[in-house]
Amino acid sequence: MNNPFDYTPDAACDKAFRELTLRIETLKKSDRPEDISLCSELEGGKMLGVLIAEDAVGERHTLYAFSGQLGDTGFHHPDFVGPVFDYLYPDGHFKTKEADISRQNAEIFRFEKGPLSDIRREYESAKERLDAEVAALKEKYRLSKQERDAKRKSGSVDESELTAMIRRSQFEKAELHRLKKKMTADLVPYEVRLKEAEAELESMKEKRRSDSEALQKWLFDSFMLLNARGESRSLSEIFAETPLKIPPSGAGECCAPKLLQNAYIQGLTPIAIAEYWYGQSKGGELRIHGHHYPACRGKCLPVLTWMLQGLDIEPPLDSESRYIAHKDPEIIFENQWFCVVDKPSGMLSVPGKGSAVSVQEWLQGKYGPDRKVTMVHRLDQDTSGLLIASFGQLPYKLLQTMFAMRQIKKTYIAVLEGDYKSKDIPRSGRIELPLSPDWLDRPRQRVDMKEGKEAVTAYEFMEAKEGRSRVTFHPLTGRTHQLRVHAASEMGLGMPIIGDRLYGMNVGKAPDRLLLHAHKIEFNFPIDVQNYSFESPVPF
């Protein structure tokens, strides 16, 4: 079977998905409320999965799945396989406990807005009243002191009057101290009631927290997943061996686990699997309708690593043998502080997990151990073009600071899928879309308008022909996958870079590299106060 994390869909999977989309198109014409609801949710964006499997006599079967839940039907729909574990039965343990936790939420809300709020208001009112009394007495005694100070300065105060003034001052200080002490004592009953109420609230929250954790543990312990050998493991056991330790929300509810579990239960042998996006992108993720996607790594890598045991699985297509650079990098300039390297597509900038040599390692081998080579910035593996490497700590820090302060101008050339003229996109402009990592599907990035880091790209189209557009990019920030996401996102240009394996389309028909090239780099170097400008010919 193909590797679900990196694959070109089997023709049978593509055919099955097309048949599924035709059925969905037919449902769109229905006037049944359940069909209208289904199509509406699918149009909003949903991952759909296809599995081709064989039975004991070699007959092929096609199974379909949707990720997560689907409208009012929850986990069940006649056209799709059921869940690995259905915890949504109305009178089942999960729904019963979930209802109890919801009841606790309501009680906590009522207590916070009712009794606790009243007690806090009574305390604050009493404190405000007592503080006002102290403030009034302080002001009275301040004026009294002011009067005594004026008499002293006049020089007309005899010894008996001075003694009386001292006694008056002592009396006022004592009176103020007694009032403060009385205020503290008067506040005690209010403080006691407030602390008791706050302790009660914390106890209610602790019970809710404990019940929620117990319910989550029950769910993860009850979620049993099969593998091809017929062995079974819970989600808790599977994730206990990972850095996460605890399964993320929704683990086991993606398409691939549902499909495999159902096939194993029926005694079928999986032979091809694929997942396709249906509908619009959502939540800042970049998904293209009808395009196939690998299984997510955050939730599915541990799960599928277990479930695929016992099957003969193809190695990932994204292996060193497929995306290895076809030539060595070229040093186009060097001095005592830095060098500029022309990186080929397919080569890593810095060492990765595999054994493929990176630009940094290649430079270290070329210059030897005595010259400390450090990459000042990086390019994606599939991107070609100019990179700067520093020699020593001082130039490294200077160049890093210059990048951070946007004092280094970078120019990229790319070819995009689509004609910018027919899409009515301005010939030049600026894209400002904050980005954040998709933590459950690394290394993908997503548009995140709330918590993403600033990402700004200036662009100018050069030409458009044969359904493609050639564009110049000037990134003003250096976020991971910035140009790729800004090109592909509908909030950006809405035209993926040709050959983009993460955010593009028609990958099977695309060239074997990303059509993105770091063409030019310019800066003024502060040590020798020289202006530098380097160019690399665009190889596509």
Side-chain angles (χ1 to χ4, degrees):
M1 194 182 81
N2 60 284
N3 191 303
F5 295 101
D6 191 9
Y7 62 94
T8 298
D10 184 270
C13 288
D14 273 343
K15 180 175 181 292
F17 179 69
R18 287 195 299 272
E19 292 172 352
L20 176 61
T21 56
L22 287 174
R23 290 209 298 275
I24 294 171
E25 290 300 316
T26 301
L27 289 176
K28 288 180 182 179
K29 302 172 185 176
S30 168
D31 56 1
R32 296 195 312 165
E34 58 268 31
D35 293 336
I36 295 171
S37 175
L38 169 69
C39 293
S40 175
E41 182 159 357
L42 290 176
E43 285 294 330
K46 178 70 75 172
M47 195 70 78
L48 303 178
V50 178
L51 179 71
I52 310 299
E54 287 184 349
D55 58 24
V57 296
E59 183 178 351
R60 288 196 168 191
H61 301 260
T62 302
L63 308 179
Y64 296 101
F66 55 81
S67 61
Q69 302 174 35
L70 197 58
D72 297 332
T73 64
F75 290 131
H76 299 280
H77 189 278
D79 289 330
F80 300 94
V81 301
V84 174
F85 174 55
D86 188 352
Y87 52 87
L88 297 180
Y89 283 113
D91 298 324
H93 179 80
F94 184 86
K95 296 300 287 184
T96 301
K97 290 295 183 182
E98 186 181 52
D100 183 55
I101 292 170
S102 296
R103 179 188 55 76
Q104 292 180 50
N105 285 333
E107 287 180 356
I108 289 171
F109 178 81
R110 285 194 297 269
F111 184 76
E112 283 184 303
K113 299 301 179 182
L116 178 59
S117 179
D118 292 342
I119 292 170
R120 184 174 283 123
R121 189 162 47 249
E122 288 174 4
Y123 167 77
E124 290 171 352
S125 177
K127 189 173 186 303
E128 186 177 337
R129 174 173 51 78
L130 293 169
D131 283 341
E133 287 184 30
V134 171
L137 191 62
K138 276 185 176 180
E139 177 62 16
K140 177 183 176 181
Y141 290 164
R142 185 187 70 80
L143 295 174
S144 177
K145 181 178 182 300
Q146 196 175 52
E147 184 181 339
R148 290 194 300 273
D149 290 343
K151 284 185 178 180
R152 287 193 187 96
K153 287 180 182 178
S154 68
S156 60
V157 180
D158 59 25
E159 190 171 337
S160 62
E161 286 178 316
L162 184 60
T163 301
M165 289 166 62
I166 292 172
R167 287 175 181 168
R168 184 64 189 174
S169 174
Q170 291 172 340
F171 171 78
E172 290 175 356
K173 287 179 181 179
E175 276 292 285
L176 185 60
H177 176 73
R178 282 191 288 271
L179 181 59
K180 287 181 178 179
K181 189 174 181 180
K182 179 180 180 298
M183 183 193 79
T184 301
D186 289 349
L187 271 179
V188 167
Y190 296 97
E191 290 175 339
V192 168
R193 284 198 296 274
L194 180 58
K195 287 180 180 178
E196 287 175 347
E198 288 174 339
E200 185 176 350
L201 175 65
E202 184 55 38
S203 176
M204 294 167 72
K205 288 184 175 180
E206 178 57 36
K207 185 178 187 310
R208 179 184 63 182
R209 187 161 47 244
S210 175
D211 288 354
S212 296
E213 290 175 357
L215 181 58
Q216 186 181 61
K217 185 177 186 307
W218 172 86
L219 177 62
F220 294 153
D221 289 346
S222 303
F223 218 109
M224 304 301 295
L225 297 127
L226 295 166
N227 64 18
R229 302 192 188 103
E231 301 165 332
S232 182
R233 267 191 182 183
S234 70
L235 274 176
S236 296
E237 292 171 318
I238 290 171
F239 277 88
E241 300 172 359
T242 71
L244 290 174
K245 300 301 180 187
I246 298 173
S249 176
E253 297 178 25
C254 297
C255 295
K258 289 182 179 181
L259 291 167
L260 292 171
Q261 184 88 350
N262 194 273
Y264 294 153
I265 290 172
Q266 294 186 58
L268 304 177
T269 301
I271 58 174
I273 192 169
E275 295 185 52
Y276 302 84
W277 186 257
Y278 189 97
Q280 303 173 353
S281 294
K282 60 182 181 180
E285 297 180 357
L286 271 67
R287 305 290 185 186
I288 300 170
H289 174 74
H291 182 58
H292 78 275
Y293 287 89
C296 66
R297 293 185 172 271
K299 290 188 284 190
C300 286
L301 183 58
V303 170
L304 296 187
T305 298
W306 164 255
M307 297 189 78
L308 293 173
Q309 290 183 24
L311 289 181
D312 184 16
I313 304 296
E314 292 178 357
L317 295 179
D318 186 9
S319 60
E320 293 177 8
S321 61
R322 183 182 181 191
Y323 290 104
I324 194 168
H326 297 297
K327 62 178 183 178
D328 284 341
E330 178 186 355
I331 298 173
I332 65 171
F333 175 84
E334 67 174 287
N335 59 21
Q336 66 191 88
W337 301 293
F338 62 86
C339 68
V340 179
V341 184
D342 196 348
K343 182 186 90 68
S345 174
M347 191 173 197
L348 293 166
S349 299
V350 295
K353 294 180 180 179
S355 58
V357 175
S358 65
V359 174
Q360 180 168 312
E361 291 167 314
W362 183 84
L363 289 172
Q364 288 170 339
K366 185 173 183 64
Y367 288 114
D370 295 335
R371 203 164 190 183
K372 295 181 179 179
V373 182
T374 308
M375 304 309 298
V376 178
H377 61 124
R378 304 178 186 184
L379 294 177
D380 292 343
Q381 182 177 6
D382 290 352
T383 303
S384 56
L386 298 177
L387 277 170
I388 303 174
S390 64
F391 302 131
Q393 193 66 14
L394 176 60
Y396 172 74
K397 287 185 175 181
L398 282 172
L399 289 163
Q400 282 265 293
T401 301
M402 291 168 67
F403 269 110
M405 297 179 68
R406 304 181 185 180
Q407 295 174 348
I408 296 180
K409 183 179 180 181
K410 298 172 288 180
T411 302
Y412 289 74
I413 306 296
V415 181
L416 311 185
E417 184 79 46
D419 186 326
Y420 79 93
K421 295 178 182 176
S422 65
K423 289 178 172 286
D424 201 26
I425 299 174
R427 184 178 182 86
S428 62
R430 183 181 174 108
I431 305 164
E432 298 184 31
L433 293 176
L435 304 178
S436 66
D438 187 341
W439 296 110
L440 293 177
D441 200 8
R442 300 297 301 272
R444 292 179 64 90
Q445 305 292 304
R446 57 194 294 273
V447 176
D448 186 347
M449 304 304 291
K450 292 183 178 179
E451 299 180 3
K453 292 185 178 180
E454 179 191 26
V456 183
T457 303
Y459 72 88
E460 183 175 358
F461 285 104
M462 303 159 70
E463 63 175 354
K465 61 182 180 181
E466 299 177 354
R468 293 182 172 186
S469 299
R470 196 173 185 89
V471 66
T472 298
F473 283 128
H474 294 293
L476 304 182
T477 53
R479 306 301 176 203
T480 301
H481 297 176
Q482 175 176 316
L483 299 182
R484 297 164 69 175
V485 175
H486 281 184
S489 172
E490 290 297 330
M491 291 183 280
L493 298 178
M495 298 189 294
I497 299 174
I498 301 294
D500 193 332
R501 295 177 284 143
L502 286 178
Y503 310 105
M505 62 180 77
N506 300 324
V507 173
K509 302 174 185 177
D512 61 358
R513 63 151 296 172
L514 180 72
L515 297 192
L516 177 64
H517 182 72
H519 168 58
K520 190 174 183 179
I521 196 160
E522 305 164 82
F523 57 92
N524 181 280
F525 194 55
I527 293 180
D528 60 359
V529 200
Q530 292 292 315
N531 287 313
Y532 289 97
S533 179
F534 306 99
E535 287 190 16
S536 166
V538 181
F540 49 82

